[in-house]
Amino acid sequence: MIATVDAATGDQTLDNHEESVRQAAIADRLLITKTDIADPAAISALDERLIKSIRVPTASACSMARSNRPACSALVSMIQKPNQPMCSAG
């Protein structure tokens, strides 16, 4: 399962919606969106929270920004090559 986390509002969403925490916890892959408009410090804090508090450290995450390859391409790669490393942060 692939879940998306909004880099700009993800921390607030996780605080206010228990379902979002459960979705992130059970996802095989996380797609971090809107990294191009989020504050770098907020992205780092969200990454820490997702890795240390919610997810197991081996979970795969991919940051997507406008400068990255199209999201559809990233999603196809995640599905076709589930054991491959994720794309780099944008």
Side-chain angles (χ1 to χ4, degrees):
M1 181 172 84
I2 299 169
T4 61
V5 181
D6 185 319
T9 62
D11 216 31
Q12 181 181 8
T13 301
L14 293 168
D15 287 341
N16 295 324
H17 302 282
E18 186 178 323
E19 182 65 22
S20 64
V21 175
R22 288 193 296 250
Q23 289 174 350
I26 66 169
D28 299 311
R29 305 274 176 123
L30 294 176
L31 181 64
I32 311 299
T33 63
K34 300 183 185 176
T35 56
D36 55 332
I37 62 170
D39 177 61
I43 296 170
S44 292
L46 181 61
D47 284 344
E48 286 288 316
R49 181 176 184 177
L50 290 170
I51 292 169
K52 291 186 177 181
S53 300
I54 297 173
R55 308 267 316 167
V56 292
T58 57
S60 297
C62 176
S63 296
M64 296 299 296
R66 288 185 191 148
S67 60
N68 285 98
R69 61 189 173 152
C72 288
S73 175
L75 290 172
V76 168
S77 293
M78 287 181 202
I79 294 165
Q80 292 178 341
K81 301 173 186 175
N83 297 321
Q84 297 260 331
M86 296 298 298
C87 60
S88 60

